[in-house]
Amino acid sequence: QAGEAVPVAQRGSWTSFLKSIASFSGDLSSLTAPPFILSPVSLTEFPAYWCERPELFAAIADATTEEARALAVLKWFMSTLKGQYTSRNESMGSEKKPLNPALGELFYGVWPDKNGRGQTDLLVEQVSHHPPITAYVIENRSKGLKLVGHSAQKTSFSGGSIIVKQIGHAVLTVKLPAGGEVQYLVTLPRLRIDGLWYGSPYIELSDHSYIVGGGYTCNIEYKGKGYFSGKAHTFKATLSPIHSSGDIVVEGTWHQNSKITHGGSGSFHDVSAPKEEVTAVGAEAGGEMGGMETRKLWQFVSKGIREGDFDSASKEKTRIENEMRQRRKDEAASGTTWPMKHFKPLGSDPVYEKLAVLADITPETEDTYVFQDNWPATLRS
Ligand code: CLR
């Protein structure tokens, strides 16, 4: 039944929300949604999903051959998808609408060293508000691993589902023990948000994403229940050496496990063990959070949403949005713009251009945000 999962009092507003999505394409973040679907977490926290199995990230540094390294990168990547795309369903009952980050919003965090895997640091900055673009860095310095990326979305509506095209990419840089480094381009899958009619949205992945570099290309193909009457959340990854033959194929479900089905054998990834959430770290002296740090900025909005006090959540949200609007007006009046704190925009990414051609990835170029290597001291002492 329509709106089955929606609290009775909010069914009307859910229906009108769906109607506004259907007649709209572009930036969903600006649409007003009924309270039951609101998440207390801002999109600036999402890059943490890239490292919730820090030991798998660290393991990339231990590989000693190109093949082993390519497999380690794929295994780390596959193991992030469950968190990226199903964790809100697990923790909140369905996919929710995240808080729309303010320009300049920040998030810092850390996964501490454990069993010799080294400390991994996270830094996130909202580098654009219109359209929303989030830039991030994840670095394990002791292992010589660094992931830099940015994330944006283009949404449309089709057949009762929201289709989300992910814009942006990430580059993983691996320092080699023998000197030098190798880089991998990581592109992102397409999302379909199903279950809207019932008011219990969930994500299915579709199309392809790629990992390219270090002598290999990897084409990951995603299929869901709707497609060819297959199982939910399935994938097939084909890892191909660039200069020789001999593919390795991995098949399975990204939210559960997979095995090598060609060019080897045995189980590949398995995400049944619990993941490890990032520990938020304030950037100011003593680990205090500044006003633009996400958990401080949204503190009372989040509290309202968590406690079901939607009146104060929405009042507080309006207050923040008005403050940001005023800031933009003041900047326009004085002919200034909000400066990025950790990144510099670059119109085309040379690493992307070099690697994308190897797997025929389109577009041929994408812009990027170059990290300025200015970690706050609280993460580096
Ligand atoms: C952001 C980048 C992360 C992976 C990821 C997971 C969930 C996505 C999110 C990204 C972008 C925003 C998103 C969200 C799911 C729902 C939400 C598409 C891609 C939209 C804006 C909200 C739609 C509202 C319905 C839930 C009603 O690495």
Side-chain angles (χ1 to χ4, degrees), residues 28 37 47 59 68 76 91 106 117 165 173 186 188 235 268-269 279 344 358:
L28 273 187
I37 205 72
W76 154 73
S91 63
L106 301 162
R117 71 184 185 198
K165 184 176 180 225
T173 305
V186 179
L188 309 162
F235 77 95
F268 186 66
H269 94 297
T279 302
K344 265 212 177 93
L358 299 176

Side-chain angles (χ1 to χ4, degrees), residues 14 17 28 84-85 88 95 98 151 153 164 166 193 203:
W14 179 242
F17 176 67
L28 273 187
Q84 304 257 19
Y85 303 114
R88 276 89 48 203
E95 190 55 63
S151 160
Q153 300 85 38
V164 181
Q166 295 204 71
I193 305 176
I203 290 175

